[in-house]
Amino acid sequence: MTGPLPVTVVGGYLGAGKTTLVNHLLRNAQGLRIAILVNDFGALAIDADLIEARSEDLISIAGGCICCSFGSDLMGALMKLAQRDPAPDHVLIETSGVAMPDVVARSAALIPAYAIDSVVVLADAETVRARAADRYMGDTITRQLDAADLVVLNRTDLVAAAELEALRRWMAREAPRARLIEAVRAEVPAEAMFGYSHPAVGSGTLASGAIRPAEDAAARYESASFLPDRPMDVEALARALARPECGLVRAKGVLCDADGLLKTLHLAGARFEVRPFPHAGAAATGIACIGLRGRFNRAAIEDALARAAAAAR
Amino acid sequence: MTTIYRAKRILTMNPARPQATHVAVRDGRILGAGSLDELKGWGDYTLDERFAGRILMPGLVEGHSHTMEGTFWRYAYVGYFDRTDPDGRVWPGVGSIDAVVERLKEAGAKLADAEAPIAGWSLDPIYFGGRRCTRHDLDRVSTTRAIGVLHASAHILNVNSRALELAGLLRRGVDHPGVPLGEDGLPTGELKGPEAMMPAGPHVGFDRDILACDELGLRYFARLCVRKGVTTAADLASLLPPDAVDMMQRVTGEADFPVRVVSLRRMLNLAPKDLIARAKELAEASSDRLRLGIVKIVVDGSIQGFSARLSWPGYFNGAPNGLWYVTPEELRAALALALEHGVQIHTHTNGDEATELVLDCMEEALARHPARDHRFTIQHGQLATAAQFRRMKALGMCVNLFPNHHFYWGDQHYSTTVGPERAERMNACATALANGVPLAIHSDAPVTPLGPLFTAWCAVNRLTASGRTLGSEERIGVGDALRTITLGAAYTLKLDQEIGSIECGKRADFAVLEDDPAEIGPGRLKDVRVWGTVQGGRVFPAPPAP
C-alpha cells in the first residue's frame, strides 16, 4: 500500500460540462487507471469508442479505466472499489447537479483508503450567472462554487471578451478561495486535474518535468520544476504556494522538511496537504508546478521556496 | 358462501348510508351494509356474531409509512415514548441517557457472543435537555461489542468507541460536517447523514441499506398493521429491485398475510425515461395485496434536520437553508413523462420552497401533457401555505400531511426550527379541506409510530408533547379525520373504488374496534382499542401481548 487513493470530486450544475470533462479525461488518461463513479449511467454518456465492455453497473474503458454507477450508495461503491485488484491510480466522483461536492469529497475521506485530491466545480460561462440568480437553485450554485478548490469555467469561447472579464470578477467574489481554469469543451489537461502525468510520483521517483502538459494544452498552461537541495519548512511552502499570486493550479513534490525527514507536498488550487513520504530510504527531492499561462508566477514561487528554506534554518 | 357480520355499530364512510348494524361478505367483498333484514335478500348466509359488541370501520389506510418499521423491531427500542411492538408488548420510553445505556445492556445480556454488536433505534436526545449522546456513554454498555443507536429521524447514528474503531474513524484528522469531534480531536460518536453513518452501520448490525425491508421485517410490519386496524399501507419507498419484488410477491401472497402493501419506487439510479418505463413494468406485476407502479420523488430534506428547503425568511434559528435532492429539470421531466404515460407520482417536500417548486414544475408539466384525475400527491407538505393549497386544488393534486409531527416535535418547531407562526400553520389540515384539496394524513412510520387513529387524534387536537395546542384553527373534526384515514388515503393511492368505505362492491376490509371513535370524544381518539382487522374477508384478531 502506497498511501490512500486520491479522490477528485467533479461537481457543477446540469449542463456545465461534467460528462464532456469525464470523456476528455478518459481520452487523455496517459496511462493512469482512473476509476470514475457516477450517480447513474443514464446521466452519463461515455463516448462509445472508449467502451471495451459493460455490465449493469460497470463499464470497462480502454487503458484500464473503469466507470461505475453508485446510485444511492456512494460509500458502498467506494468500499468495494478499494478492494479491486489492481487498484485504480485515481478515483473521480461525478456528483449530481444538486450535491455539495465538498461534502461528497469529505465523505469519501471518511473511508481510510481514500484521501481528497481536489474538489473541481464546472461552470458554464454562458449560463452560470443566470443560474446563480435562479429563485430555487441560486444558492445551491453559489454554495457549490464556493466549495471548489478549482473552478473550471467552461465554454469561454461562447462569451464576448467584456463578458468574460465581468465573469472573472464575479467568480472572484462568489468563489474567492478557488483557482479559476478557463476551458473550451471542458478540455482541461489531465495534469491539472490529477496532478501528475504518470504514476512515477506515487512510486517515489520524481524527476524534473514530471508534470508535462499535453501539447494541445501547452499554449494555455505553463509549468516548471524546482529542485531545491536544502531542507525547508514544507508546510509554510505549501501555504505560500496556495496563495493566488503564485498562479498555481497544481503542485506536487517530495521535499526535505526542517526536521530532516522527507515529506510529500500536494497542492490543488487552494487545497494543499503535507504528509510523511510513504517510502523508506532516500529519494530525489523536487517540486513540479503547473499554472495558467499569464498567471503562472515563477518569481513568486522562487520567493516562496527561498522563504521556506530560510524558515528551516 | 355469504357471511353476515353483526356489529354494535358500523361506521361505513358511505355518506348515503353512514351507519349500519350488519355487513354481508362474499368472496372477500362486501355485498352490502344495512340491517339483517335488508341483507337477507342476498340468499343463504351464516350469521357471525363475534363483532356483536364491537365497532366496525373501513380498514384503515396508512398513506405514508415504511415497511422497515417491521425491520427495526429486531433492534433494542430506546425511544422517549412508550411504543407497542408487533407482538403487542409495550416498551416503556426511556427518559435519559442512563436509561438508554441500561436498555442496551439488557439487550446485550441476551447475546451469547461477547463480541456480537448491539443495535438500538428511535433515540431522541432532543428530550434529554440538550445533552448529546457520545461514544463514552455507549462505552458504558460495552467496550468489546460495537454498539450503534439510530435516532428517531433515522438520519443520525450514535456509536461507541469499538464501532468507531472498526469503521476506521477512531482517529484524528477526520473532517466531515456529519462527524462532530470532541475536545480530544476524536469523533464524539455521533454520525449524521447516510454517508457518515455508512462506514459504521454494518459493524453495529444495521444492514447496508437500512431503508430496505427484508422478509422478516415485512411479516413484523404486517403484525403491527393488524394491531392498528390497518388493512392497506403505503410503503414510501424503495428501489424495488427484482429480487425484492419477488420476495414481496411471495410473502404478501401467502394465505394468511393480512395487509395490502402499496410499494412506491423511488426515483434514484434511473433517468426519468427509464424510471417511467420501470414504473409501468412494476404496475404490471401488481397483485391484490402488492400494488406497484407509483413513483416517489424526494425533493428536499427534513425540517428538524434543517435540510428542508424553506421560503424566505428561512429557519427561525438562522440555520442556512436546506438541500435539494433533485434538480428542477429532472423533476419537470419526470412529471411530464409520468403524465404522458399515466404513471402516478408522489413528491416528498417538507419546506414551503420545495412545495412551491413542485407546484411550478407540475403547472409546466400539465401544460405539456394535460391530464385529468392524475392525483399526483404532495407527501408531507408540512409547511404548505394557504396559497399553495389553492394551487394544489387548481392543479388537481392531493396532499398527505404529517400531523404526528405536532406531538413529537411541535415544541421544537415552535421554539427553534420555524418559529411560532409557521409552527401553528404546519400540516394545515383544515386549510386543505376548506380548499377542497383531497387530504390524507400519515405517520411516516418508523419516524413516528404506525397508527392511523393516533394520527387522527393529532389532526383533531394538535397537541404537542408538552401539552401546547399548536394552531387551534387548523384542527379538524373527528368525522373529517376518520374519513381522511380511510377514504382520504385510499383516494391518494387511486384505490378509493376498491377500499376506504364499507359499501356494496368494495373489498371486505374492516378495522374492528372495541371503542367507538365517533363516541369516545376527540381527546381520547388515540385511546380507541383495536381488536384486529378483517382483510379481504379474512379475520385477523390481534393476539394478546405475551
Side-chain angles (χ1 to χ4, degrees):
Chain A
M1 177 116 179
T2 57
L5 275 171
V7 175
T8 296
V9 172
V10 177
Y13 201 69
L14 301 181
K18 284 179 289 184
T19 297
T20 315
L21 176 67
V22 165
N23 277 298
H24 170 76
L25 293 172
L26 287 173
R27 281 187 193 284
N28 297 279
Q30 303 180 7
L32 280 180
R33 288 190 306 269
I34 304 169
I36 294 170
L37 294 176
V38 298
N39 213 227
D40 67 271
F41 286 150
L44 178 89
I46 299 259
D47 294 344
D49 64 303
L50 290 172
I51 297 175
E52 283 185 341
R54 74 180 294 165
S55 65
E56 200 180 331
D57 57 0
L58 188 103
I59 298 177
S60 303
I61 292 156
C65 296
I66 54 168
C67 182
C68 323
S69 67
F70 60 83
S72 55
D73 188 11
L74 172 65
M75 301 299 276
L78 282 168
M79 288 186 215
K80 217 162 95 185
L81 184 63
Q83 310 295 322
R84 269 183 86 89
D85 188 23
D89 299 311
H90 204 107
V91 177
L92 195 150
I93 302 171
E94 194 205 287
T95 65
S96 81
V98 286
M100 292 299 154
D102 58 322
V103 179
V104 173
R106 290 155 82 186
S107 295
L110 286 178
I111 304 171
Y114 295 95
I116 303 173
D117 175 272
S118 56
V119 174
V120 180
V121 174
L122 282 114
D124 180 345
E126 267 199 310
T127 61
V128 66
R129 283 212 282 176
R131 293 231 191 256
D134 181 81
R135 171 179 176 194
Y136 294 113
M137 291 296 133
D139 64 316
T140 299
I141 307 286
T142 52
R143 274 153 90 173
Q144 287 174 342
L145 290 170
D146 190 43
D149 302 316
L150 295 166
V151 169
V152 177
L153 190 58
N154 195 21
R155 302 208 180 93
T156 51
D157 55 329
L158 300 181
V159 294
E163 165 66 11
L164 187 57
E165 196 42 54
L167 200 50
R168 288 183 188 128
R169 285 197 302 273
W170 180 83
M171 204 60 89
R173 282 199 307 275
E174 292 300 328
R177 196 180 142 272
R179 300 290 169 272
L180 194 64
I181 301 178
E182 291 167 20
V184 173
R185 289 181 298 279
E187 283 169 1
V188 181
E191 298 78 8
M193 282 295 292
F194 300 130
Y196 42 81
S197 58
H198 54 77
V201 170
S203 69
T205 56
L206 181 92
S208 173
I211 295 182
R212 290 186 305 265
E215 288 304 312
D216 62 337
R220 305 173 75 91
Y221 292 86
E222 194 173 336
S223 67
S225 295
F226 303 88
L227 305 170
D229 51 5
R230 287 174 297 172
M232 56 181 60
D233 183 336
V234 181
E235 188 83 26
L237 175 67
R239 213 174 302 119
L241 293 178
R243 289 207 191 99
E245 52 268 29
C246 289
L248 291 184
V249 171
R250 284 279 178 180
K252 192 144 193 152
V254 179
L255 297 157
C256 182
D257 208 347
D259 56 12
L261 299 173
L262 288 176
K263 300 280 168 68
T264 60
L265 183 159
H266 169 98
L267 179 141
R271 178 187 299 274
F272 62 83
E273 190 171 50
V274 174
R275 284 172 173 267
F277 186 62
H279 305 281
T285 57
I287 181 163
C289 304
I290 180 168
L292 291 175
R293 189 166 293 279
R295 287 194 225 151
F296 186 85
N297 188 339
R298 177 180 276 272
I301 298 167
E302 282 172 346
D303 182 54
L305 283 160
R307 283 169 189 271
R313 275 205 295 275
Chain B
M1 186 65 220
T2 302
T3 304
I4 295 181
Y5 294 100
R6 182 179 145 212
K8 186 173 168 193
R9 188 148 86 120
I10 301 174
L11 304 173
T12 67
M13 300 297 145
N14 169 11
R17 182 168 272 209
Q19 291 185 30
T21 53
H22 292 73
V23 56
V25 175
R26 183 191 292 165
D27 298 336
R29 295 185 186 215
I30 297 165
L31 287 168
S35 66
L36 183 59
D37 275 350
E38 289 173 317
L39 296 173
K40 275 177 179 167
W42 289 105
D44 289 347
Y45 67 92
T46 309
L47 185 65
D48 192 321
E49 300 260 6
R50 76 179 105 177
F51 305 141
R54 304 195 165 97
I55 308 294
L56 296 187
M57 267 185 75
L60 306 183
V61 183
E62 170 53 70
H64 185 151
S65 60
H66 300 270
T67 48
M68 71 169 164
E69 158 103 34
T71 315
F72 279 2
W73 278 107
R74 74 195 63 166
Y75 309 121
Y77 175 69
V78 294
Y80 183 74
F81 298 93
D82 297 356
R83 193 150 170 164
T84 310
D85 76 11
D87 295 325
R89 190 183 298 113
V90 177
W91 290 82
V94 289
S96 67
I97 288 178
D98 287 343
V100 170
V101 168
E102 281 314 307
R103 179 72 56 86
L104 292 168
K105 275 186 182 166
E106 287 164 24
K110 293 180 197 148
L111 300 170
D113 179 352
E115 290 184 5
I118 306 172
W121 66 290
S122 206
L123 183 70
D124 213 346
I126 208 161
Y127 290 107
F128 300 158
R131 158 113 151 70
R132 310 298 296 185
C133 180
T134 69
R135 65 188 168 94
H136 302 298
D137 295 320
L138 298 182
D139 285 347
R140 283 157 52 205
V141 180
S142 173
T143 52
T144 56
R145 302 176 188 279
I147 307 206
V149 182
L150 202 58
H151 285 218
S153 68
H155 288 290
I156 303 178
L157 179 69
N158 265 102
V159 299
N160 70 345
S161 301
R162 177 66 183 143
L164 282 175
E165 192 182 4
L166 289 169
L169 290 174
L170 197 60
R171 57 185 159 99
R172 287 187 177 75
V174 172
D175 167 31
H176 193 278
V179 186
L181 305 179
E183 281 172 9
D184 56 2
L186 295 170
T188 63
E190 200 169 60
L191 306 172
K192 303 177 188 178
E195 276 69 34
M197 279 155 56
M198 262 302 296
H203 298 292
V204 299
F206 285 115
D207 288 333
R208 181 142 295 186
D209 186 2
I210 50 175
L211 277 172
C213 184
D214 56 11
E215 186 168 336
L216 181 67
L218 192 55
R219 292 182 196 285
Y220 277 17
F221 180 76
R223 279 149 67 178
L224 273 173
C225 286
V226 170
R227 294 196 173 279
K228 301 297 178 181
V230 172
T231 53
T232 299
D235 172 34
L236 276 84
S238 60
L239 294 176
L240 295 178
D243 53 341
V245 173
D246 289 348
M247 180 277 285
M248 292 169 87
Q249 286 283 19
R250 179 168 51 75
V251 174
T252 58
E254 287 168 3
D256 59 352
F257 192 82
V259 63
R260 184 178 295 101
V261 177
V262 183
S263 204
L264 278 68
R265 170 60 157 92
R266 248 191 102 168
M267 181 164 96
L268 265 182
N269 307 4
L270 289 179
K273 185 168 66 65
D274 302 321
L275 173 78
I276 299 305
R278 176 69 180 143
K280 290 170 81 173
E281 243 172 58
L282 285 165
E284 291 294 312
S286 286
S287 60
D288 173 29
R289 288 202 288 279
L290 182 64
R291 302 300 175 97
L292 304 169
I294 310 179
V295 165
K296 178 189 184 187
I297 302 178
V298 177
V299 180
D300 70 344
S302 74
I303 298 167
Q304 72 276 31
F306 300 100
S307 52
R309 288 291 309 194
L310 268 56
S311 296
W312 191 90
Y315 287 99
F316 195 47
N317 69 348
N321 209 344
L323 298 170
W324 295 108
Y325 293 148
V326 68
T327 61
E329 287 85 344
E330 291 161 311
L331 180 59
R332 218 174 282 132
L335 290 171
L337 266 171
L339 286 172
E340 186 184 349
H341 290 272
V343 170
Q344 195 194 12
I345 291 191
H346 288 225
T347 47
H348 158 126
T349 65
N350 269 307
D352 44 356
E353 191 185 39
T355 297
E356 190 77 5
L357 175 66
V358 169
L359 293 169
D360 283 358
C361 291
M362 191 62 190
E363 195 169 299
E364 288 184 47
L366 275 168
R368 276 165 63 191
H369 296 286
R372 295 188 190 281
D373 201 27
H374 52 75
R375 303 192 204 178
F376 283 21
T377 300
I378 302 267
Q379 291 286 350
H380 305 319
Q382 293 203 74
L383 279 176
T385 63
Q388 289 176 337
F389 284 111
R390 290 190 284 271
R391 282 187 82 191
M392 288 178 210
K393 174 65 179 170
L395 295 171
M397 299 188 80
C398 310
V399 69
N400 188 351
L401 296 173
F402 194 177
N404 288 25
H405 245 263
H406 300 137
F407 180 73
Y408 288 103
W409 297 289
D411 292 314
Q412 286 75 29
H413 291 316
Y414 188 93
S415 66
T416 310
T417 63
V418 297
E421 182 178 336
R422 288 178 297 176
E424 290 189 346
R425 74 133 204 263
M426 274 177 83
N427 297 294
C429 295
T431 300
L433 289 177
N435 286 289
V437 183
L439 174 69
I441 52 178
H442 66 272
S443 69
D444 201 14
V447 176
T448 72
L450 183 80
L453 286 165
F454 174 77
T455 303
W457 174 84
C458 290
V460 166
N461 296 284
R462 293 181 70 96
L463 283 176
T464 69
S466 75
R468 177 196 297 278
T469 302
L470 200 58
S472 52
E473 302 304 318
E474 291 294 348
R475 289 180 301 186
I476 60 174
V478 171
D480 281 334
L482 296 180
R483 200 169 309 111
T484 297
I485 57 174
T486 50
L487 263 181
Y491 184 86
T492 64
L493 301 169
K494 292 196 170 183
L495 291 176
D496 56 309
Q497 79 287 6
E498 282 185 61
I499 60 171
S501 61
I502 299 177
E503 58 186 297
C504 179
K506 288 203 171 181
R507 306 262 170 195
D509 291 2
F510 313 132
V512 184
L513 310 174
E514 301 284 8
D515 307 297
D516 189 335
E519 299 289 331
I520 195 168
R524 294 190 56 210
L525 203 48
K526 65 179 169 53
D527 304 323
V528 168
R529 291 165 300 157
V530 178
W531 176 89
T533 61
V534 177
Q535 210 271 3
R538 302 164 304 152
V539 180
F540 296 100

